[in-house]
Amino acid sequence: MNNQLRIAVILGIAGGLITFLFGGWSVSITGLLVGITIGLTTRGLHKVEGFRKSSLQILPSALSGAGALLVVSLIQNYWISPAIGTKPGNLNFTIESNLIACIALIAIAMILQGLNGLPANQARKWRLVTLGILVVAYPFIDSAANLGWTSQLIFALIFVILGLGLNIVVGYAGLLDLGYAAFFAIGAYTAGMLNSPLHDIHINFWIVIWIAAAIAAIAGILLGSPTLGLSGDYLAIVTLGFGEIVPVLFQNLKQVTLNEPFTCWIIPGIQKLFGSTSTVSCVTLFNNPNLTGAALGITPIGRPWFPFIGQLPTADLNSVHYSLSLGNKIYFYIGEFHSENPTPWYFLILAIILFTIFFASRLRDSRLGRAWMAIREDELAAAQMGIDPVRTKLLAFSMGATFSGFAGAFYGAYIRGIFPSVFDFSTSIIILCCVILGGIGNINGVLVGGLVITTADRLFLPALKDFLGNLLNTTILPALSSHPILQAAIAQNANPILWRPFLFGLTLVIMMAIRPEGLIPSAQRRQELHAAEDTPNVVGSSATKK
Amino acid sequence: MKIDIRRLFRPGLVVVLIYILLLVGPVAGFNLPTIWESIRSSPKLLVQYLIIGLANGSITAIIALGYTMVYGIIELINFAHGDVYMIGVFTALTTISVTGTINSTNPTQIILGMALALVAAIVVCALLNTFIERVAYRRLRNSPRLAPLISAIGMSFIVENIGLIWAGQSWLVPSFGTTGGGAQKYFPDLLSALMKAWGHDINLLANTGIGLRFTVKDLMVIALAGILMIGLRLFIQRTTLGKAMRATSQNRDAARMLGIDIDRVISLTFLIGGGLAGAAGLMSGLYNGNAWWFMGFRAGLDAFTAAVLGGIGNITGAMLGGMLIGLLASFSDGYLNSGYTHAWVFAILVLVLVFRPTGLLGEQTGEKA
């Protein structure tokens, strides 16, 4: 119980610290998030029957968590705000936002803990329903609170899809792929080339996304086939190589001329050797088209639109909205797919994620999924048991790549443009980070890992940069005016965006050192990764020198 | 089960693949008639590319020595090694800048400044590499292979970021200028300045009328690589510590039982590898005249390719591989298409790993990885 209280207070303080960065209404959202976390991490409590009794169990923790959040949030409002040069919110606003935060925290924590009192299958069902309602309601809460986090959350969800795809290759089949961004690039470029003015081809987004996934799957087989004989470090290096070659190709395919070699120079060359003049005319397949837009990328890429619901797009984009309407009544207003309106994009990516999770979990439990795990554990034994390693590995590569095809097509349409520099090695590593931080081989783990890493990258680092910048300009730098060099050095280097690779690297090193199985590992992985510690002499040496 | 990939490539398939290479190759610059034409029109250029390739290959080879030693002893791809080399370039540049050698015309000062930069780069890189081993790899030595590899990638990001920040500190090194940490930095051409101060031309073939450039820089880089390789070979073959290193790489447990301090031997390996990277850093700065925070990534991959090509764990192999990669890059820049050089190097890596994982000179058979 004490342990639970301590966790709640720590979470409350952590949530409060987030409000340091964002201020305003962010406290209400963090209250909600802290509530969910407290409600989901109550495994230590002993089980009590019944919803009400069970939910009352967590009341002390939830109250103390809310108290901690409130204290830190008020510190933010009255001490930190002046220090970073913003005005503290007025009393009405402060009371309102903090009250909503505390109520949301306590209510959601109690609901989630209360569900533990129900029979297991019901508890699972209702937990999913509760979280589902929150996920669906999120963009509306966000726009009501005027935070603007949704558009960044969409990036996080793109990386979640990529992480789920990579998880199939790395987590299930145990093939370390350091070039996964190549498939992301292939998906994005397929979608871009088929739905943009570059080649004047405009295929509907809803068709392109499937083509992109199919092309990515084929690319997975093509790039996977040379690596079949390799494992471990060598496999990692070859996939890294492909991951580097693919963006180089996209960057350079601007003037592509393909001449059939026999007719163009081999036969004429031989004829010349024997002194006769050339009689064969040269067959040219391509003559200088700009295939991929080279370093400039492809832009603009067409956006999706609903063919049946709402109206067709007209010249005046602002007057057209898509909504699920029957007759004159609008039931579910989400607006149209537009840069300024993240809501429909959010629901689209949510749908793709649900689809991905469904397929990934069905694949994991299928015959193929078990074959992947058998290959991962011991390829030789698996082959002796009648599993075809070639087919199984190729399927892992192509299934993993399929999801990155979806993500790529969505990404291109959402950004409206794709550039070769987006798909470099660091993107592959960020995706790998999502999988490793969350827990290799575990779908929930990859969800959490992807959300944590990408929101930290896209949301918290820029906010931290602004926060530090304001703090420095308002409070610290004036105090240092007698040391101009120190002042300049601090002003230049206290920029968290500049330290982004450092933070990524540090995350990887620390995770490997203290918790190599990730935040939410699959049970099997945890055993494997800690086996070496239990019996260092036997397992350790055989595992490292396989 | 080891899948014999060669079995899949029957002669017919090989013919088809060659045809595809001839058909699609020109996109990446592999256009045989054009190449033949340019070689025939100026054969001297071929020799010039050869010289450039050998000199750049020597730098790659020195970095590859570090990869091959580390892989030979603990079977880990030290991803951060290329970035340690980048830190070497920046250490040398900072030393040259801080000591005021950067604009000097006094030969004694230039020589002293370069010597100091060499020592500083070697010491900093050797210590950094040992530190990386201590912090990121040592405790993972008995983990599954995935863990140290990912830790190495993390370390590589950290060191790269340190380089990026370093390149932004123009109060420390005025020659960095105001272009920010992300831009390429100018590395002074001290050897030219030195030769000028002595009244010689930097080009050794200037007065022979051949019309080629073989500079003091080329000579120095190639000679230094040769000396380092021979020295390292002698160290490993002849000294007690070298014997301990070989024993450790053959069987760590048995070596420990025979009283070898494994941790010390591995630290020493990283120390030597880091020192070599530091030396390569100064060489590369003087030869290519630039410093960039991201140069270590590309150089590291080239060097790893070289180590694999020559046979990983093999000192002579790393040297040979480095030279071959240098030549390939130089010819690709000259005759194919410089935009695709990176891809060609990687294509070689993939081909070697798929068809001959032991490399050209590798004796160890079977699956290392």
Side-chain angles (χ1 to χ4, degrees), chain A residues 259-268 283, chain B residues 18-19 21-24:
Chain A
N259 289 320
E260 207 283 328
F262 276 102
T263 56
C264 284
W265 57 273
I266 295 181
I267 294 173
V283 179
Chain B
I18 290 176
Y19 181 76
L21 180 69
L22 290 179
L23 179 69
V24 186

Side-chain angles (χ1 to χ4, degrees), chain A residues 213-532:
Chain A
I215 298 279
I218 293 168
I221 292 177
L222 285 181
L223 297 188
S225 53
T227 69
L228 289 174
L230 305 168
S231 58
D233 296 349
Y234 280 6
L235 174 70
I237 284 292
V238 170
T239 52
L240 192 161
F242 285 136
E244 290 293 302
I245 290 176
V246 168
V248 168
L249 276 181
F250 285 134
Q251 192 145 20
N252 286 296
L253 286 176
K254 51 187 171 198
Q255 288 173 336
V256 185
T257 305
L258 282 188
N259 289 320
E260 207 283 328
F262 276 102
T263 56
C264 284
W265 57 273
I266 295 181
I267 294 173
I270 293 170
Q271 282 174 328
K272 217 167 157 188
L273 276 183
F274 291 106
S276 60
T277 48
S278 173
T279 50
V280 194
S281 61
C282 179
V283 179
T284 303
L285 301 176
F286 274 106
N287 200 4
N288 271 351
N290 187 349
L291 271 187
T292 57
L296 295 174
I298 301 176
T299 178
I301 294 171
R303 297 198 177 100
W305 48 276
F306 294 123
F308 306 116
I309 306 166
Q311 296 155 290
L312 292 176
T314 58
D316 184 11
L317 284 169
N318 290 324
S319 69
V320 190
H321 298 289
Y322 296 106
S323 49
L324 192 64
S325 53
L326 286 173
N328 292 329
K329 245 182 161 179
I330 293 171
Y331 286 97
F332 186 54
Y333 175 81
I334 57 171
E336 61 169 320
F337 287 97
H338 201 263
S339 318
E340 284 85 47
N341 181 15
T343 314
W345 298 101
Y346 177 84
F347 286 110
L348 175 58
I349 191 90
L350 212 59
I352 300 177
I353 284 197
L354 287 180
F355 175 79
T356 311
I357 292 177
F358 176 73
F359 264 81
S361 62
R362 299 300 293 165
L363 276 174
R364 181 193 57 201
D365 298 336
S366 69
R367 187 184 166 78
L368 182 60
R370 293 197 302 276
W372 283 335
M373 283 163 218
I375 291 266
R376 180 184 78 198
E377 300 305 327
D378 190 335
E379 199 177 326
L380 191 64
Q384 294 307 314
M385 298 302 286
I387 293 170
D388 179 3
V390 174
R391 188 174 158 273
T392 316
K393 281 184 173 182
L394 284 182
L395 275 173
F397 274 115
S398 74
M399 292 289 168
T402 309
F403 296 117
S404 68
F406 287 125
F410 179 89
Y411 177 85
Y414 180 57
I415 306 281
R416 286 217 92 184
I418 41 178
F419 312 97
S421 57
V422 174
F423 307 103
D424 61 359
F425 181 58
S426 65
T427 308
S428 298
I429 293 304
I430 291 172
I431 304 170
L432 188 66
C433 266
C434 298
V435 176
I436 286 168
L437 182 82
I440 300 172
N442 186 354
I443 291 177
N444 289 340
V446 177
L447 276 175
V448 171
L451 284 175
V452 167
I453 289 224
T454 328
T455 46
D457 182 25
R458 293 235 164 215
L459 217 52
F460 290 97
L461 277 186
L464 189 65
K465 178 193 171 223
D466 292 345
F467 174 76
L468 275 179
N470 290 335
L471 187 68
L472 286 173
N473 287 334
T474 326
T475 316
I476 296 180
L477 289 186
L480 286 173
S481 53
S482 53
H483 304 86
I485 290 185
L486 185 65
Q487 194 183 21
I490 289 179
Q492 185 192 345
N493 296 317
N495 175 0
I497 307 272
L498 212 57
W499 294 90
R500 186 170 164 257
F502 190 94
L503 296 173
F504 267 117
L506 202 63
T507 314
L508 284 179
V509 172
I510 291 177
M511 282 304 287
M512 284 302 117
I514 59 173
R515 207 175 156 88
E517 71 273 22
L519 292 176
I520 312 176
S522 64
Q524 214 174 357
R525 271 279 163 173
R526 185 183 349 215
Q527 264 179 358
E528 276 168 38
L529 283 160
H530 285 290

Side-chain angles (χ1 to χ4, degrees), chain B residues 16-272:
Chain B
V16 171
L17 282 180
I18 290 176
Y19 181 76
I20 291 177
L21 180 69
L22 290 179
L23 179 69
V24 186
V27 174
F30 187 75
N31 193 347
L32 285 177
T34 321
I35 295 171
W36 172 242
E37 204 50 45
S38 45
I39 291 178
R40 212 182 49 175
S41 62
S42 66
K44 260 184 199 169
L45 215 52
L46 186 72
V47 184
Q48 190 64 58
Y49 287 137
L50 197 76
I51 295 171
I52 296 172
L54 284 179
N56 271 320
S58 302
I59 297 171
T60 307
I62 302 176
I63 308 171
L65 290 177
Y67 272 106
T68 214
M69 282 170 69
V70 167
Y71 199 93
I73 205 157
I74 55 171
E75 291 180 17
L76 165 76
I77 300 171
N78 182 10
F79 253 96
H81 193 75
D83 302 302
V84 170
Y85 146 81
M86 176 272 297
I87 292 291
V89 182
F90 275 104
T91 312
L93 180 53
T94 308
T95 315
I96 287 169
S97 185
V98 168
T99 52
T101 319
I102 195 159
N103 292 320
S104 170
T105 49
N106 178 357
T108 324
Q109 197 189 357
I110 293 178
I111 291 177
L112 279 179
M114 281 198 296
L116 195 64
L118 183 67
V119 172
I122 288 178
V123 169
V124 167
C125 289
L127 292 180
L128 176 66
N129 214 22
T130 320
F131 174 75
I132 289 173
E133 191 271 332
R134 183 71 194 81
V135 174
Y137 307 150
R138 184 170 292 181
R139 71 171 80 211
L140 298 175
R141 221 173 272 160
N142 288 325
S143 311
R145 301 189 68 108
L146 185 66
L149 187 67
I150 288 168
S151 196
I153 294 171
M155 227 43 220
S156 152
F157 272 59
I158 291 178
V159 178
E160 264 172 29
N161 203 167
I162 291 173
L164 175 66
I165 300 289
W166 191 337
Q169 309 304 318
S170 49
W171 56 272
L172 179 69
V173 186
S175 74
F176 283 169
T178 53
T179 45
Q184 295 212 10
K185 303 298 175 194
Y186 165 72
F187 198 105
D189 191 357
L190 288 179
L191 283 170
S192 290
L194 183 68
M195 295 314 281
K196 208 167 153 193
W198 278 339
H200 293 287
D201 196 298
I202 181 88
N203 185 4
L204 293 173
L205 304 176
N207 300 323
T208 54
I210 302 176
L212 285 173
R213 271 180 75 81
F214 182 72
T215 62
V216 178
K217 293 192 271 189
D218 296 314
L219 181 68
M220 182 197 70
V221 169
I222 295 172
L224 191 93
I227 292 168
L228 284 176
M229 187 202 83
I230 293 168
L232 195 61
R233 243 196 112 81
L234 287 178
F235 173 78
I236 288 177
Q237 298 293 340
R238 299 282 166 84
T239 62
T240 324
L241 274 173
K243 200 183 248 178
M245 279 166 72
R246 277 182 289 145
T248 310
S249 89
Q250 276 176 7
N251 189 331
R252 223 183 295 159
D253 292 335
R256 189 185 286 125
M257 279 175 217
L258 291 172
I260 296 172
D261 185 348
I262 305 294
D263 286 341
R264 217 175 114 230
V265 169
I266 293 176
S267 284
L268 182 78
T269 311
F270 276 85
L271 195 76
I272 295 174

Side-chain angles (χ1 to χ4, degrees), chain A residues 20-217:
Chain A
F20 276 32
L21 303 182
F22 298 100
W25 275 102
S26 67
V27 65
S28 307
I29 303 273
T30 37
L32 196 67
L33 290 176
V34 172
I36 293 174
T37 324
I38 293 177
L40 287 180
T41 51
T42 50
R43 299 288 149 82
L45 298 174
H46 65 96
K47 193 171 162 72
V48 184
E49 292 300 322
F51 181 83
R52 187 142 51 112
K53 271 187 191 163
S54 181
S55 66
L56 284 177
Q57 252 186 326
I58 206 167
L59 193 59
S61 306
L63 279 177
S64 39
L69 177 70
L70 190 65
V71 170
V72 182
S73 156
L74 290 179
I75 291 177
Q76 190 272 334
N77 199 22
Y78 290 107
W79 285 334
I80 304 294
S81 286
I84 62 170
T86 50
K87 272 209 308 220
N90 64 30
L91 200 58
N92 279 343
F93 170 76
T94 311
I95 291 177
E96 201 178 337
S97 60
N98 283 299
L99 201 64
I100 292 178
C102 293
I103 291 173
L105 191 157
I106 296 168
I108 202 74
M110 283 178 73
I111 291 174
L112 286 173
Q113 164 62 18
L115 293 174
N116 283 344
L118 300 177
N121 57 345
Q122 276 190 33
R124 187 181 142 75
K125 191 176 78 187
W126 284 106
R127 201 176 291 137
L128 282 180
V129 167
T130 317
L131 292 179
I133 290 173
L134 288 175
V135 166
V136 169
Y138 178 78
F140 305 106
I141 300 175
D142 185 286
S143 62
N146 204 9
L147 281 172
W149 289 358
T150 314
S151 54
Q152 302 302 326
L153 197 61
I154 289 169
F155 283 106
L157 295 178
I158 292 175
F159 274 85
V160 167
I161 296 182
L162 291 169
L164 287 169
L166 183 60
N167 186 39
I168 291 179
V169 186
V170 179
Y172 296 165
L175 306 163
L176 180 56
D177 187 343
L178 292 183
Y180 191 69
F183 302 123
F184 184 33
I186 288 168
Y189 267 94
T190 310
M193 284 157 74
L194 293 179
N195 192 6
S196 75
L198 182 70
H199 302 298
D200 212 16
I201 303 174
H202 300 273
I203 303 177
N204 193 319
F205 172 83
W206 307 110
I207 301 169
V208 159
I209 193 168
W210 294 100
I211 300 176
I215 298 279

